[in-house]
């Protein structure tokens, strides 16, 4: 930034493609949000301000004049983790609790340092779903966005993913909480199908690893798995997925492993794909331009949900 004669600091960026961008001010080494901008990018370790560069209605994250779903916010005490936590639930347009129609469910997981609101507040998940459903490119579905820390001390531990015991506890306790606390609540409180072919799990970064871990070790419960820029798995994948049962993973409808080509995690994701191939597990590999950012993950979500709960005859490209 440059300061003019009146003391006003300003900067002009290069032209930006339509999207949502995070930014902050750094003054004397301290990162600060923009006090005059109400648009926030929530994060448990580094909140930023956001700027929206508007684009055409064809962009999935742009609000359009279509029917809109509703986001519900829930709180509960986790006996598994031992804390108070929350989750968000998107119900699609036309959802009526009084009717008997059952909906498929996508469990959508955030990344490290994010909170449960991230996929809606930053990822624009509800807007993306609204638009795809209106275009008949996605099935109406319930989307559950829950807090992804089985071990909350991950947030206060420097280089947390280098601590094998902590990383494993985070994965295992998250799986236990999701399957024994969140999933039963969803199937009690919402018109959620209990058929495994109507359950999907996906996430970004840490959430991508959690999706692979939970989905592959509980493939009797989920039929659709998506990993976007997965990060945080150990080096020994045989040990990591020792509970995976081949008879269950062969029934998966889709295992979708995506990563940005400029992402620092592209090599670990390629190793995951190689390991899956060596195990004879069918999977779809997606490389997209971009780095470890929401600009990639919003597009990943749009492409992935268009495939969910579709028969092969009705799947959209």
């Amino acid at each position: 930034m440059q300061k003019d004669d009146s003391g006003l600091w300003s900067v002009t960026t290069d032209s930006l493609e339509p999207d949502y961008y995070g930014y902050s001010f750094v003054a004397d080494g301290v990162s600060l949000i923009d006090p005059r901008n109400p648009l926030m990018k929530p994060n448990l370790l580094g909140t930023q301000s956001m700027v929206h560069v508007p684009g055409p209605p064809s962009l999935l994250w742009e609000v359009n004049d279509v029917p809109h779903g509703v986001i519900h916010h829930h709180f509960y005490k986790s006996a598994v983790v031992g804390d108070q936590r929350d989750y968000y639930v998107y119900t699609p347009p036309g959802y009526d609790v009084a009717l008997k129609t059952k909906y498929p469910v996508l469990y959508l997981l955030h990344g490290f340092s994010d909170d449960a609101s991230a996929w809606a507040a930053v990822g624009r998940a509800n807007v993306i779903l609204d638009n795809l459903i209106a275009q008949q490119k996605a099935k109406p579905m319930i989307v559950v966005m829950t807090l992804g820390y089985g071990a909350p001390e991950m947030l206060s531990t420097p280089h947390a993913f280098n601590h094998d015991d902590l990383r494993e506890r985070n994965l295992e306790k998250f799986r236990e909480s999701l399957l024994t606390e969140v999933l039963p609540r969803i199937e009690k409180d919402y018109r959620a199908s209990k058929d495994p072919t109507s359950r999907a799990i996906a996430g970004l970064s840490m959430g991508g690893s959690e999706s692979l871990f939970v989905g592959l070790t509980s493939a009797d419960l989920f039929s659709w798995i998506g990993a976007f820029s997965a990060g945080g798995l150990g080096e020994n994948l045989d040990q990591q997925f020792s509970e995976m049962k081949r008879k269950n993973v062969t029934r998966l409808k889709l295992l979708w492993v995506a990563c940005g080509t400029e992402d620092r995690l592209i090599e670990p994701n390629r190793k995951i794909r190689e390991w899956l191939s060596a195990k004879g597990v069918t999977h779809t590999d997606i490389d997209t331009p971009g780095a470890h950012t929401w600009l990639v993950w919003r597009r990943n979500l749009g492409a992935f949900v268009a495939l969910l709960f579709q028969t092969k005859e009705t799947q959209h490209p």
Side-chain angles (χ1 to χ4, degrees):
M1 301 183 75
Q2 301 295 322
K3 184 169 66 171
D4 64 17
D5 294 339
S6 67
L8 179 67
W9 291 84
S10 65
V11 65
T12 302
T13 72
D14 294 334
S15 179
L16 298 173
E17 292 294 320
D19 215 312
Y20 282 81
Y21 296 87
Y23 73 96
S24 57
F25 299 126
V26 179
D28 295 331
V30 179
S31 182
L32 306 166
I33 59 172
D34 185 343
R36 300 188 67 179
N37 181 2
L39 190 59
M40 301 294 296
K41 181 181 178 183
N43 189 281
L44 297 174
L45 296 181
T47 302
Q48 288 186 308
S49 299
M50 282 201 301
V51 61
H52 176 209
V53 179
S58 58
L59 295 177
L60 290 178
W61 52 87
E62 294 287 344
V63 175
N64 283 286
D65 186 15
V66 299
H68 299 293
V70 177
I71 294 180
H72 315 260
H73 194 189
H74 297 270
F75 299 85
Y76 73 104
K77 171 65 183 294
S78 172
V80 172
V81 183
D83 63 2
Q84 297 285 346
R85 49 186 44 215
D86 63 341
Y87 58 89
Y88 292 79
V89 180
Y90 165 87
T91 50
Y95 179 91
D96 185 343
V97 72
L99 300 179
K100 294 183 178 180
T101 304
K102 295 291 187 180
Y103 286 85
V105 183
L106 166 62
Y107 291 84
L108 187 58
L109 312 179
H110 62 76
F112 180 71
S113 79
D114 288 328
D115 64 16
S117 73
W119 265 112
V122 189
R124 311 283 289 173
N126 55 308
V127 178
I128 291 171
L129 265 293
D130 287 345
N131 287 331
L132 286 173
I133 292 170
Q135 296 167 20
Q136 297 186 329
K137 291 182 178 178
K139 296 283 189 181
M141 67 185 76
I142 295 168
V143 181
V144 180
M145 298 162 278
T146 187
L147 191 66
Y149 304 102
E153 59 269 32
M154 289 281 292
L155 290 163
S156 58
T157 303
H159 309 293
F161 290 100
N162 293 334
H163 298 265
D164 291 347
D165 291 346
L166 177 58
R167 186 185 66 244
E168 292 305 310
R169 186 165 70 254
N170 188 61
L171 286 169
E172 291 168 2
K173 287 297 184 181
F174 171 75
R175 178 179 60 183
E176 184 181 354
S177 177
L178 178 69
L179 299 184
T180 66
E181 296 180 325
V182 178
L183 189 148
R185 281 179 168 82
I186 297 300
E187 296 183 348
K188 174 179 177 291
D189 297 340
Y190 290 89
R191 290 190 288 108
S193 173
K194 297 182 180 180
D195 187 335
T197 63
S198 294
R199 291 197 200 104
I201 186 167
L204 68 90
S205 196
M206 180 185 76
S209 291
E210 290 172 340
S211 297
L212 290 171
F213 179 71
V214 176
L216 291 174
T217 62
S218 307
D220 55 328
L221 300 177
F222 299 91
S223 294
W224 313 78
I225 303 171
F228 315 155
S229 309
L233 292 173
E235 291 291 326
N236 189 337
L237 295 177
D238 284 330
Q239 180 181 9
Q240 187 84 82
F241 294 99
S242 61
E243 299 173 57
M244 184 178 76
K245 294 180 173 59
R246 179 166 175 76
K247 67 177 182 179
N248 291 334
V249 297
T250 57
R251 294 199 292 262
L252 288 173
K253 300 289 187 183
L254 179 66
L255 174 53
W256 203 81
V257 184
C259 194
T261 52
E262 286 78 53
D263 195 318
R264 65 185 184 277
L265 294 177
I266 187 67
E267 287 306 319
N269 274 265
R270 287 171 177 160
K271 289 180 180 178
I272 291 170
R273 296 167 181 173
E274 292 169 2
W275 179 83
L276 290 168
S277 295
K279 294 296 179 183
V281 180
T282 301
H283 55 99
T284 299
D285 299 339
I286 303 293
D287 286 347
T288 55
H292 201 72
T293 70
W294 282 102
L295 279 72
V296 169
W297 303 322
R298 278 188 281 270
R299 290 161 175 81
N300 286 163
L301 180 64
F304 179 70
V305 298
L307 302 174
L308 292 182
F309 316 122
Q310 309 269 4
T311 64
K312 288 187 177 179
E313 290 73 22
T314 60
Q315 281 185 359
H316 300 276

